[in-house]
PDB file of all heavy atoms in Angstrom:
ATOM      1  N   GLU F   9       8.547   6.908  21.485  1.00  0.00           N
ATOM      2  CA  GLU F   9       8.668   8.237  22.087  1.00  0.00           C
ATOM      3  C   GLU F   9       8.762   9.252  20.950  1.00  0.00           C
ATOM      4  O   GLU F   9       9.534   9.052  20.011  1.00  0.00           O
ATOM      5  CB  GLU F   9       9.961   8.255  22.908  1.00  0.00           C
ATOM      6  CG  GLU F   9      10.008   9.321  23.959  1.00  0.00           C
ATOM      7  CD  GLU F   9      11.293   9.196  24.799  1.00  0.00           C
ATOM      8  OE1 GLU F   9      11.883   8.101  24.830  1.00  0.00           O
ATOM      9  OE2 GLU F   9      11.695  10.198  25.378  1.00  0.00           O
ATOM     10  N   LEU F  10       7.992  10.338  21.042  1.00  0.00           N
ATOM     11  CA  LEU F  10       8.057  11.392  20.020  1.00  0.00           C
ATOM     12  C   LEU F  10       8.204  12.739  20.707  1.00  0.00           C
ATOM     13  O   LEU F  10       7.331  13.135  21.477  1.00  0.00           O
ATOM     14  CB  LEU F  10       6.785  11.386  19.159  1.00  0.00           C
ATOM     15  CG  LEU F  10       6.710  12.471  18.079  1.00  0.00           C
ATOM     16  CD1 LEU F  10       7.624  12.167  16.899  1.00  0.00           C
ATOM     17  CD2 LEU F  10       5.283  12.649  17.577  1.00  0.00           C
ATOM     18  N   LEU F  11       9.308  13.434  20.433  1.00  0.00           N
ATOM     19  CA  LEU F  11       9.505  14.772  20.985  1.00  0.00           C
ATOM     20  C   LEU F  11       9.334  15.792  19.873  1.00  0.00           C
ATOM     21  O   LEU F  11       9.674  15.519  18.717  1.00  0.00           O
ATOM     22  CB  LEU F  11      10.916  14.923  21.555  1.00  0.00           C
ATOM     23  CG  LEU F  11      11.278  14.095  22.783  1.00  0.00           C
ATOM     24  CD1 LEU F  11      12.673  14.485  23.259  1.00  0.00           C
ATOM     25  CD2 LEU F  11      10.268  14.307  23.910  1.00  0.00           C
ATOM     26  N   ALA F  12       8.836  16.972  20.234  1.00  0.00           N
ATOM     27  CA  ALA F  12       8.660  18.038  19.236  1.00  0.00           C
ATOM     28  C   ALA F  12       9.458  19.259  19.673  1.00  0.00           C
ATOM     29  O   ALA F  12       8.931  20.142  20.360  1.00  0.00           O
ATOM     30  CB  ALA F  12       7.181  18.381  19.088  1.00  0.00           C
ATOM     31  N   PRO F  13      10.768  19.315  19.318  1.00  0.00           N
ATOM     32  CA  PRO F  13      11.571  20.470  19.726  1.00  0.00           C
ATOM     33  C   PRO F  13      11.044  21.758  19.104  1.00  0.00           C
ATOM     34  O   PRO F  13      10.423  21.732  18.040  1.00  0.00           O
ATOM     35  CB  PRO F  13      12.968  20.135  19.202  1.00  0.00           C
ATOM     36  CG  PRO F  13      12.813  19.007  18.273  1.00  0.00           C
ATOM     37  CD  PRO F  13      11.495  18.360  18.497  1.00  0.00           C
ATOM     38  N   MET F  23      20.087  15.393  19.153  1.00  0.00           N
ATOM     39  CA  MET F  23      20.719  14.384  18.285  1.00  0.00           C
ATOM     40  C   MET F  23      22.203  14.223  18.608  1.00  0.00           C
ATOM     41  O   MET F  23      22.740  13.113  18.562  1.00  0.00           O
ATOM     42  CB  MET F  23      20.524  14.756  16.810  1.00  0.00           C
ATOM     43  CG  MET F  23      19.067  14.674  16.379  1.00  0.00           C
ATOM     44  SD  MET F  23      18.801  15.218  14.700  1.00  0.00           S
ATOM     45  CE  MET F  23      19.318  13.787  13.786  1.00  0.00           C
ATOM     46  N   TRP F  30      17.936   9.255  17.921  1.00  0.00           N
ATOM     47  CA  TRP F  30      16.729  10.046  17.641  1.00  0.00           C
ATOM     48  C   TRP F  30      16.505  10.124  16.142  1.00  0.00           C
ATOM     49  O   TRP F  30      17.304  10.682  15.412  1.00  0.00           O
ATOM     50  CB  TRP F  30      16.856  11.454  18.237  1.00  0.00           C
ATOM     51  CG  TRP F  30      16.793  11.412  19.726  1.00  0.00           C
ATOM     52  CD1 TRP F  30      17.852  11.353  20.584  1.00  0.00           C
ATOM     53  CD2 TRP F  30      15.613  11.370  20.528  1.00  0.00           C
ATOM     54  NE1 TRP F  30      17.404  11.297  21.874  1.00  0.00           N
ATOM     55  CE2 TRP F  30      16.026  11.304  21.879  1.00  0.00           C
ATOM     56  CE3 TRP F  30      14.239  11.390  20.250  1.00  0.00           C
ATOM     57  CZ2 TRP F  30      15.123  11.257  22.936  1.00  0.00           C
ATOM     58  CZ3 TRP F  30      13.348  11.346  21.307  1.00  0.00           C
ATOM     59  CH2 TRP F  30      13.787  11.275  22.624  1.00  0.00           C
ATOM     60  N   LYS F  31      15.415   9.554  15.699  1.00  0.00           N
ATOM     61  CA  LYS F  31      15.123   9.506  14.260  1.00  0.00           C
ATOM     62  C   LYS F  31      14.271  10.727  13.891  1.00  0.00           C
ATOM     63  O   LYS F  31      13.211  10.949  14.498  1.00  0.00           O
ATOM     64  CB  LYS F  31      14.341   8.208  13.994  1.00  0.00           C
ATOM     65  CG  LYS F  31      14.015   7.947  12.558  1.00  0.00           C
ATOM     66  CD  LYS F  31      15.162   7.300  11.846  1.00  0.00           C
ATOM     67  CE  LYS F  31      14.763   6.853  10.446  1.00  0.00           C
ATOM     68  NZ  LYS F  31      15.908   6.961   9.536  1.00  0.00           N
ATOM     69  N   PRO F  32      14.706  11.498  12.871  1.00  0.00           N
ATOM     70  CA  PRO F  32      13.878  12.635  12.458  1.00  0.00           C
ATOM     71  C   PRO F  32      12.522  12.158  11.910  1.00  0.00           C
ATOM     72  O   PRO F  32      12.438  11.129  11.235  1.00  0.00           O
ATOM     73  CB  PRO F  32      14.688  13.293  11.339  1.00  0.00           C
ATOM     74  CG  PRO F  32      16.069  12.740  11.456  1.00  0.00           C
ATOM     75  CD  PRO F  32      15.954  11.398  12.094  1.00  0.00           C
ATOM     76  N   PHE F  33      11.502  12.922  12.218  1.00  0.00           N
ATOM     77  CA  PHE F  33      10.139  12.621  11.744  1.00  0.00           C
ATOM     78  C   PHE F  33       9.623  13.899  11.094  1.00  0.00           C
ATOM     79  O   PHE F  33       9.415  14.909  11.770  1.00  0.00           O
ATOM     80  CB  PHE F  33       9.277  12.236  12.962  1.00  0.00           C
ATOM     81  CG  PHE F  33       7.941  11.636  12.634  1.00  0.00           C
ATOM     82  CD1 PHE F  33       7.707  10.289  12.842  1.00  0.00           C
ATOM     83  CD2 PHE F  33       6.904  12.422  12.132  1.00  0.00           C
ATOM     84  CE1 PHE F  33       6.460   9.726  12.559  1.00  0.00           C
ATOM     85  CE2 PHE F  33       5.674  11.866  11.834  1.00  0.00           C
ATOM     86  CZ  PHE F  33       5.451  10.513  12.061  1.00  0.00           C
ATOM     87  N   ALA F  34       9.471  13.883   9.780  1.00  0.00           N
ATOM     88  CA  ALA F  34       9.040  15.106   9.066  1.00  0.00           C
ATOM     89  C   ALA F  34       7.533  14.999   8.791  1.00  0.00           C
ATOM     90  O   ALA F  34       6.726  15.134   9.708  1.00  0.00           O
ATOM     91  CB  ALA F  34       9.868  15.276   7.811  1.00  0.00           C
ATOM     92  N   GLY F  35       7.151  14.717   7.539  1.00  0.00           N
ATOM     93  CA  GLY F  35       5.718  14.566   7.246  1.00  0.00           C
ATOM     94  C   GLY F  35       5.167  13.226   7.725  1.00  0.00           C
ATOM     95  O   GLY F  35       3.961  13.049   7.877  1.00  0.00           O
ATOM     96  N   GLY F  36       6.033  12.261   7.897  1.00  0.00           N
ATOM     97  CA  GLY F  36       5.620  10.935   8.388  1.00  0.00           C
ATOM     98  C   GLY F  36       5.020  10.024   7.322  1.00  0.00           C
ATOM     99  O   GLY F  36       4.570   8.919   7.629  1.00  0.00           O
ATOM    100  N   THR F  37       5.035  10.436   6.050  1.00  0.00           N
ATOM    101  CA  THR F  37       4.338   9.617   5.037  1.00  0.00           C
ATOM    102  C   THR F  37       5.082   8.325   4.718  1.00  0.00           C
ATOM    103  O   THR F  37       4.453   7.349   4.285  1.00  0.00           O
ATOM    104  CB  THR F  37       4.095  10.415   3.728  1.00  0.00           C
ATOM    105  OG1 THR F  37       5.354  10.843   3.208  1.00  0.00           O
ATOM    106  CG2 THR F  37       3.191  11.611   3.956  1.00  0.00           C
ATOM    107  N   ASP F  38       6.385   8.286   4.927  1.00  0.00           N
ATOM    108  CA  ASP F  38       7.113   7.009   4.831  1.00  0.00           C
ATOM    109  C   ASP F  38       7.090   6.296   6.187  1.00  0.00           C
ATOM    110  O   ASP F  38       6.840   5.090   6.262  1.00  0.00           O
ATOM    111  CB  ASP F  38       8.571   7.231   4.396  1.00  0.00           C
ATOM    112  CG  ASP F  38       8.701   7.424   2.896  1.00  0.00           C
ATOM    113  OD1 ASP F  38       8.103   6.629   2.143  1.00  0.00           O
ATOM    114  OD2 ASP F  38       9.382   8.368   2.467  1.00  0.00           O
ATOM    115  N   LEU F  39       7.343   7.054   7.251  1.00  0.00           N
ATOM    116  CA  LEU F  39       7.474   6.428   8.575  1.00  0.00           C
ATOM    117  C   LEU F  39       6.163   5.815   9.047  1.00  0.00           C
ATOM    118  O   LEU F  39       6.159   4.744   9.664  1.00  0.00           O
ATOM    119  CB  LEU F  39       7.975   7.462   9.588  1.00  0.00           C
ATOM    120  CG  LEU F  39       9.443   7.878   9.401  1.00  0.00           C
ATOM    121  CD1 LEU F  39       9.812   9.031  10.326  1.00  0.00           C
ATOM    122  CD2 LEU F  39      10.376   6.686   9.652  1.00  0.00           C
ATOM    123  N   MET F  40       5.035   6.456   8.760  1.00  0.00           N
ATOM    124  CA  MET F  40       3.759   5.918   9.242  1.00  0.00           C
ATOM    125  C   MET F  40       3.392   4.599   8.555  1.00  0.00           C
ATOM    126  O   MET F  40       2.715   3.758   9.139  1.00  0.00           O
ATOM    127  CB  MET F  40       2.628   6.948   9.053  1.00  0.00           C
ATOM    128  CG  MET F  40       2.724   8.151   9.966  1.00  0.00           C
ATOM    129  SD  MET F  40       2.814   7.735  11.717  1.00  0.00           S
ATOM    130  CE  MET F  40       1.129   7.247  12.047  1.00  0.00           C
ATOM    131  N   VAL F  41       3.857   4.441   7.319  1.00  0.00           N
ATOM    132  CA  VAL F  41       3.616   3.166   6.622  1.00  0.00           C
ATOM    133  C   VAL F  41       4.355   2.049   7.361  1.00  0.00           C
ATOM    134  O   VAL F  41       3.807   0.960   7.596  1.00  0.00           O
ATOM    135  CB  VAL F  41       4.072   3.259   5.146  1.00  0.00           C
ATOM    136  CG1 VAL F  41       3.986   1.904   4.456  1.00  0.00           C
ATOM    137  CG2 VAL F  41       3.249   4.300   4.398  1.00  0.00           C
ATOM    138  N   LEU F  43       5.251   2.136  10.510  1.00  0.00           N
ATOM    139  CA  LEU F  43       4.609   1.959  11.827  1.00  0.00           C
ATOM    140  C   LEU F  43       3.413   1.010  11.697  1.00  0.00           C
ATOM    141  O   LEU F  43       3.270   0.059  12.464  1.00  0.00           O
ATOM    142  CB  LEU F  43       4.138   3.315  12.367  1.00  0.00           C
ATOM    143  CG  LEU F  43       3.418   3.239  13.714  1.00  0.00           C
ATOM    144  CD1 LEU F  43       4.429   3.198  14.855  1.00  0.00           C
ATOM    145  CD2 LEU F  43       2.473   4.410  13.920  1.00  0.00           C
ATOM    146  N   LEU F  48       8.973  -0.518  12.150  1.00  0.00           N
ATOM    147  CA  LEU F  48       9.708   0.699  12.481  1.00  0.00           C
ATOM    148  C   LEU F  48      10.783   0.350  13.514  1.00  0.00           C
ATOM    149  O   LEU F  48      10.464   0.117  14.672  1.00  0.00           O
ATOM    150  CB  LEU F  48       8.711   1.722  13.057  1.00  0.00           C
ATOM    151  CG  LEU F  48       9.003   3.196  12.952  1.00  0.00           C
ATOM    152  CD1 LEU F  48       9.437   3.610  11.575  1.00  0.00           C
ATOM    153  CD2 LEU F  48       7.780   3.994  13.371  1.00  0.00           C
ATOM    154  N   LYS F  52      12.731   6.162  19.188  1.00  0.00           N
ATOM    155  CA  LYS F  52      12.713   7.571  19.595  1.00  0.00           C
ATOM    156  C   LYS F  52      12.663   8.467  18.353  1.00  0.00           C
ATOM    157  O   LYS F  52      13.523   8.330  17.465  1.00  0.00           O
ATOM    158  CB  LYS F  52      13.972   7.895  20.391  1.00  0.00           C
ATOM    159  CG  LYS F  52      14.057   7.177  21.725  1.00  0.00           C
ATOM    160  CD  LYS F  52      15.418   7.492  22.316  1.00  0.00           C
ATOM    161  CE  LYS F  52      15.441   7.109  23.777  1.00  0.00           C
ATOM    162  NZ  LYS F  52      16.727   7.478  24.385  1.00  0.00           N
ATOM    163  N   PHE F  53      11.709   9.383  18.337  1.00  0.00           N
ATOM    164  CA  PHE F  53      11.526  10.241  17.158  1.00  0.00           C
ATOM    165  C   PHE F  53      11.516  11.714  17.552  1.00  0.00           C
ATOM    166  O   PHE F  53      11.005  12.076  18.600  1.00  0.00           O
ATOM    167  CB  PHE F  53      10.221   9.878  16.453  1.00  0.00           C
ATOM    168  CG  PHE F  53      10.293   8.517  15.838  1.00  0.00           C
ATOM    169  CD1 PHE F  53       9.938   7.394  16.576  1.00  0.00           C
ATOM    170  CD2 PHE F  53      10.773   8.342  14.555  1.00  0.00           C
ATOM    171  CE1 PHE F  53      10.052   6.134  16.030  1.00  0.00           C
ATOM    172  CE2 PHE F  53      10.888   7.084  14.010  1.00  0.00           C
ATOM    173  CZ  PHE F  53      10.533   5.972  14.751  1.00  0.00           C
ATOM    174  N   LEU F  54      12.089  12.514  16.644  1.00  0.00           N
ATOM    175  CA  LEU F  54      12.072  13.964  16.828  1.00  0.00           C
ATOM    176  C   LEU F  54      11.213  14.559  15.722  1.00  0.00           C
ATOM    177  O   LEU F  54      11.577  14.464  14.543  1.00  0.00           O
ATOM    178  CB  LEU F  54      13.481  14.531  16.658  1.00  0.00           C
ATOM    179  CG  LEU F  54      14.460  14.494  17.823  1.00  0.00           C
ATOM    180  CD1 LEU F  54      15.738  15.202  17.418  1.00  0.00           C
ATOM    181  CD2 LEU F  54      13.863  15.127  19.067  1.00  0.00           C
ATOM    182  N   SER F  55      10.101  15.160  16.078  1.00  0.00           N
ATOM    183  CA  SER F  55       9.262  15.778  15.050  1.00  0.00           C
ATOM    184  C   SER F  55       9.899  17.081  14.583  1.00  0.00           C
ATOM    185  O   SER F  55      10.234  17.950  15.392  1.00  0.00           O
ATOM    186  CB  SER F  55       7.865  16.058  15.598  1.00  0.00           C
ATOM    187  OG  SER F  55       7.160  16.805  14.634  1.00  0.00           O
ATOM    188  N   LEU F  56      10.069  17.196  13.279  1.00  0.00           N
ATOM    189  CA  LEU F  56      10.664  18.421  12.710  1.00  0.00           C
ATOM    190  C   LEU F  56       9.577  19.409  12.285  1.00  0.00           C
ATOM    191  O   LEU F  56       9.869  20.542  11.916  1.00  0.00           O
ATOM    192  CB  LEU F  56      11.510  18.063  11.470  1.00  0.00           C
ATOM    193  CG  LEU F  56      12.543  16.939  11.607  1.00  0.00           C
ATOM    194  CD1 LEU F  56      13.285  16.750  10.287  1.00  0.00           C
ATOM    195  CD2 LEU F  56      13.534  17.271  12.720  1.00  0.00           C
ATOM    196  N   TRP F  57       8.335  18.959  12.293  1.00  0.00           N
ATOM    197  CA  TRP F  57       7.247  19.648  11.588  1.00  0.00           C
ATOM    198  C   TRP F  57       7.100  21.107  11.981  1.00  0.00           C
ATOM    199  O   TRP F  57       6.736  21.944  11.178  1.00  0.00           O
ATOM    200  CB  TRP F  57       5.934  18.878  11.824  1.00  0.00           C
ATOM    201  CG  TRP F  57       4.871  19.233  10.851  1.00  0.00           C
ATOM    202  CD1 TRP F  57       3.714  19.927  11.116  1.00  0.00           C
ATOM    203  CD2 TRP F  57       4.840  18.936   9.443  1.00  0.00           C
ATOM    204  NE1 TRP F  57       2.973  20.064   9.962  1.00  0.00           N
ATOM    205  CE2 TRP F  57       3.656  19.468   8.928  1.00  0.00           C
ATOM    206  CE3 TRP F  57       5.720  18.268   8.582  1.00  0.00           C
ATOM    207  CZ2 TRP F  57       3.298  19.352   7.575  1.00  0.00           C
ATOM    208  CZ3 TRP F  57       5.364  18.163   7.226  1.00  0.00           C
ATOM    209  CH2 TRP F  57       4.177  18.698   6.751  1.00  0.00           C
ATOM    210  N   LYS F  58       7.395  21.429  13.245  1.00  0.00           N
ATOM    211  CA  LYS F  58       7.160  22.808  13.691  1.00  0.00           C
ATOM    212  C   LYS F  58       8.435  23.645  13.737  1.00  0.00           C
ATOM    213  O   LYS F  58       8.465  24.704  14.349  1.00  0.00           O
ATOM    214  CB  LYS F  58       6.489  22.785  15.055  1.00  0.00           C
ATOM    215  CG  LYS F  58       5.092  22.203  14.960  1.00  0.00           C
ATOM    216  CD  LYS F  58       4.188  22.693  16.042  1.00  0.00           C
ATOM    217  CE  LYS F  58       2.758  22.265  15.697  1.00  0.00           C
ATOM    218  NZ  LYS F  58       2.022  21.819  16.861  1.00  0.00           N
ATOM    219  N   LEU F  59       9.485  23.168  13.095  1.00  0.00           N
ATOM    220  CA  LEU F  59      10.734  23.942  13.126  1.00  0.00           C
ATOM    221  C   LEU F  59      10.729  24.974  11.989  1.00  0.00           C
ATOM    222  O   LEU F  59      10.847  24.613  10.816  1.00  0.00           O
ATOM    223  CB  LEU F  59      11.949  23.012  12.974  1.00  0.00           C
ATOM    224  CG  LEU F  59      12.130  21.984  14.103  1.00  0.00           C
ATOM    225  CD1 LEU F  59      13.359  21.124  13.844  1.00  0.00           C
ATOM    226  CD2 LEU F  59      12.231  22.671  15.452  1.00  0.00           C
ATOM    227  N   LEU F  62      13.316  25.089   9.068  1.00  0.00           N
ATOM    228  CA  LEU F  62      13.338  24.094   7.986  1.00  0.00           C
ATOM    229  C   LEU F  62      12.208  24.320   6.969  1.00  0.00           C
ATOM    230  O   LEU F  62      11.944  23.474   6.127  1.00  0.00           O
ATOM    231  CB  LEU F  62      13.225  22.670   8.568  1.00  0.00           C
ATOM    232  CG  LEU F  62      14.344  22.223   9.510  1.00  0.00           C
ATOM    233  CD1 LEU F  62      14.166  20.770   9.900  1.00  0.00           C
ATOM    234  CD2 LEU F  62      15.710  22.415   8.851  1.00  0.00           C
ATOM    235  N   LEU F  77      11.647  20.932   4.869  1.00  0.00           N
ATOM    236  CA  LEU F  77      10.238  20.589   5.078  1.00  0.00           C
ATOM    237  C   LEU F  77       9.329  21.057   3.942  1.00  0.00           C
ATOM    238  O   LEU F  77       8.109  20.963   4.057  1.00  0.00           O
ATOM    239  CB  LEU F  77       9.739  21.193   6.399  1.00  0.00           C
ATOM    240  CG  LEU F  77      10.278  20.562   7.685  1.00  0.00           C
ATOM    241  CD1 LEU F  77       9.723  21.298   8.907  1.00  0.00           C
ATOM    242  CD2 LEU F  77       9.914  19.079   7.785  1.00  0.00           C
ATOM    243  N   ARG F 111       1.604  16.690   2.741  1.00  0.00           N
ATOM    244  CA  ARG F 111       2.308  16.289   3.971  1.00  0.00           C
ATOM    245  C   ARG F 111       3.752  15.829   3.700  1.00  0.00           C
ATOM    246  O   ARG F 111       4.636  16.065   4.501  1.00  0.00           O
ATOM    247  CB  ARG F 111       1.473  15.172   4.608  1.00  0.00           C
ATOM    248  CG  ARG F 111       1.927  14.704   5.932  1.00  0.00           C
ATOM    249  CD  ARG F 111       1.485  15.617   7.067  1.00  0.00           C
ATOM    250  NE  ARG F 111       2.252  15.277   8.252  1.00  0.00           N
ATOM    251  CZ  ARG F 111       2.203  15.878   9.420  1.00  0.00           C
ATOM    252  NH1 ARG F 111       1.391  16.910   9.591  1.00  0.00           N
ATOM    253  NH2 ARG F 111       2.947  15.489  10.417  1.00  0.00           N
ATOM    254  N   THR F 113       7.506  15.593   2.420  1.00  0.00           N
ATOM    255  CA  THR F 113       8.497  16.665   2.237  1.00  0.00           C
ATOM    256  C   THR F 113       9.636  16.214   1.312  1.00  0.00           C
ATOM    257  O   THR F 113       9.917  15.015   1.191  1.00  0.00           O
ATOM    258  CB  THR F 113       9.101  17.083   3.594  1.00  0.00           C
ATOM    259  OG1 THR F 113       9.866  15.975   4.120  1.00  0.00           O
ATOM    260  CG2 THR F 113       8.028  17.484   4.588  1.00  0.00           C
ATOM    261  N   GLY F 116      12.366  14.559   3.353  1.00  0.00           N
ATOM    262  CA  GLY F 116      12.009  13.175   3.698  1.00  0.00           C
ATOM    263  C   GLY F 116      12.199  12.235   2.519  1.00  0.00           C
ATOM    264  O   GLY F 116      12.684  11.108   2.677  1.00  0.00           O
ATOM    265  N   LEU F 168      20.977  16.448  10.215  1.00  0.00           N
ATOM    266  CA  LEU F 168      19.701  16.583   9.507  1.00  0.00           C
ATOM    267  C   LEU F 168      19.954  17.166   8.121  1.00  0.00           C
ATOM    268  O   LEU F 168      20.913  17.916   7.934  1.00  0.00           O
ATOM    269  CB  LEU F 168      18.803  17.592  10.221  1.00  0.00           C
ATOM    270  CG  LEU F 168      18.121  17.187  11.518  1.00  0.00           C
ATOM    271  CD1 LEU F 168      17.401  18.395  12.090  1.00  0.00           C
ATOM    272  CD2 LEU F 168      17.124  16.073  11.233  1.00  0.00           C
TER     273      LEU F 168
END
Side-chain angles (χ1 to χ4, degrees):
E9 201 176 338
L10 178 74
L11 293 185
M23 293 176 79
W30 290 94
K31 183 83 172 147
F33 192 108
T37 59
D38 279 313
L39 289 173
M40 290 305 286
V41 173
L43 178 83
L48 206 47
K52 294 174 166 183
F53 292 89
L54 278 184
S55 172
L56 310 181
W57 197 249
K58 293 206 169 140
L59 297 180
L62 298 185
L77 289 178
R111 186 80 195 177
T113 66
L168 285 175

